[in-house]
Amino acid sequence: MSGIVEHYQGLAQNLIETLGYEQAVQVAQQYAWYGVVEELHRLSGEYGHTIH
């Protein structure tokens, strides 16, 4: 399971670095990458704000 979490963390970090936080969240939600969305929120200090 930790491999998946590490994968989400890497994707989230790359999206933030490439697109910025707001656009990274939009892209992750568009592709239904809910684990990545959660990680993006965690990285920004917001917990549990995933929209399903």
Side-chain angles (χ1 to χ4, degrees), residues 12-49:
Q13 191 63 44
N14 285 339
L15 286 171
I16 289 172
E17 290 174 4
T18 304
L19 304 173
Y21 173 75
E22 294 295 326
Q23 198 169 16
V25 171
Q26 289 176 1
V27 168
Q29 288 177 338
Q30 177 182 353
Y31 289 102
W33 295 339
Y34 299 119
V36 176
V37 174
E38 287 291 332
E39 188 60 28
L40 287 165
H41 289 308
R42 189 192 67 76
L43 288 172
S44 75
E46 299 176 17
Y47 295 92
H49 297 324

